[in-house]
Amino acid sequence: MLIDNLKQIDPKGSTIVCASKYVGSESIRKMYNLGIKNMGENRVQAFLKKYDDLTDLDITWHFIGHLQTNKVKDVINKIEYLHSLDSIKLANEIEKYANKEIKCFIEINSGEESKSGISYDEALNFFNELKKYDKIKVVGFMTMAPNTDDKDVIKGVFMRLKNFRDSIDSNLYLSMGMSNDYEIALECGATHIRLGSILWKGEY
Ligand SMILES: *Cc1c(COP(=O)(O)O)cnc(C)c1O
C-alpha cells in the first residue's frame, strides 16, 4: 500500500520530491491524494502525457533528469523546478523559451560513472554566469551519489556538496538523496530528497 510506503519515510522537515517515472498517471493521482504534491519526472514524452492527464491536480512538477536542449521548449513552462541545469547551452535555451522564472538546481557531477552534471571546478563560474539570466533562478545544487554500499563514500559525496553550498550561500537548497541513500543525505543537510522505488513498492 502506498500509504504504508509513505509512512516509513521521515523526511525530517525536508521536501519529498516523488520520482514518478516508474508509474502512470493514475498511480500519481493516488500518491497526490496521500499528500505528496511534488512530482519529479526524467523523460520528456512520459512527462508530457502525465502532465496532460493530471491538469486537474495542483502538482508542483520537477524535472529531475537530463534535459536535452532541443526539448526545452516542450517542457519548460510546465515545470516549476529543474534539478539538472549543467550547461550554458541549456541555460540559453531556457532563457529563450521560458515565459516565467524557472527555479533551477545546478547539477554537480560527483563521480566518473555519471555523465551528467558540471564539475566542481566549473561550478562557481557557472553559478555566477547564471546571475545574468532573467528566467533562471538558481535555488541550489543537486547531485547523485555513486551506486555503492559504502556509506562513507556516499557521506563524503553529500558533505562535499553541502560544504560547497555553504561556501556560496548556506540558504541555497540541496537536492540529494534517493531511495537507497536518503537517510545519509538528510544527515548531511538535504533540503529536497528525490524518492522513487521506496515510495512505489508494490505499485509497479
Ligand atoms: C529515478 C530517480 C530518482 C529516484 O530514484 P530511486 O532510487 O528509485 O529512489 C532520483 N533522482 C533522479 C534524477 C532519478 O532519475
Side-chain angles (χ1 to χ4, degrees):
M1 294 277 284
L2 293 185
I3 189 148
D4 298 317
N5 293 350
L6 250 182
K7 270 198 215 143
Q8 64 178 331
I9 314 280
D10 176 5
K12 302 201 164 86
S14 83
T15 299
I16 295 176
V17 179
C18 175
S20 48
K21 64 187 180 204
Y22 301 107
V23 299
S25 305
E26 289 320 301
S27 295
I28 298 176
R29 185 179 293 280
K30 283 194 229 170
M31 186 65 82
Y32 177 92
N33 287 331
L34 295 173
I36 299 291
K37 308 260 154 108
N38 291 281
M39 302 292 171
E41 285 284 326
N42 71 336
R43 293 268 184 270
V44 169
Q45 287 318 314
F47 163 62
L48 293 174
K49 161 93 171 65
K50 295 172 196 180
Y51 178 91
D52 281 344
D53 288 344
L54 299 168
T55 48
D56 58 315
L57 306 182
D58 185 26
I59 292 176
T60 298
W61 288 106
H62 298 241
F63 201 83
I64 61 178
H66 176 69
L67 181 55
Q68 285 178 268
T69 48
N70 64 340
K71 301 281 171 63
V72 166
K73 59 179 176 310
D74 300 330
V75 306
I76 204 65
N77 292 307
K78 298 184 163 145
I79 62 172
E80 263 169 72
Y81 291 87
L82 175 67
H83 289 240
S84 53
L85 182 55
D86 65 354
S87 73
I88 288 292
K89 213 175 139 204
L90 182 55
N92 288 340
E93 289 298 292
I94 296 170
E95 191 70 8
K96 187 165 164 191
Y97 289 108
N99 52 34
K100 58 172 185 177
E101 195 175 65
I102 310 297
K103 300 180 191 102
C104 296
F105 290 84
I106 294 175
E107 181 177 354
I108 308 262
N109 187 319
S110 288
E112 319 290 271
E113 37 194 295
S114 156
K115 278 162 282 163
S116 56
I118 193 164
S119 72
Y120 274 102
D121 288 347
E122 301 167 289
L124 180 59
N125 266 339
F126 186 51
F127 176 82
N128 285 326
E129 276 290 302
L130 291 172
K131 290 175 182 163
K132 292 187 224 147
Y133 290 71
D134 290 335
K135 300 291 172 42
I136 293 175
K137 181 178 173 64
V138 175
V139 295
F141 298 97
M142 180 275 225
T143 202
M144 283 195 262
N147 191 3
T148 170
D149 292 331
D150 189 333
K151 293 198 165 151
D152 292 333
V153 168
I154 296 172
K155 190 162 184 177
V157 163
F158 291 156
M159 282 310 292
R160 185 174 186 195
L161 192 67
K162 180 202 182 323
N163 290 332
F164 178 71
R165 187 277 314 259
D166 289 348
S167 74
I168 293 177
D169 179 353
S170 59
N171 293 311
L172 290 167
Y173 295 148
L174 287 172
S175 169
M176 56 190 198
M178 314 193 341
S179 293
N180 288 324
D181 55 22
Y182 76 93
E183 285 162 305
I184 305 172
L186 289 173
E187 280 174 36
C188 298
T191 61
H192 293 69
I193 49 177
R194 306 179 313 274
L195 302 180
S197 42
I198 200 169
L199 291 179
W200 297 114
K201 230 179 316 165
E203 187 71 16
Y204 66 92

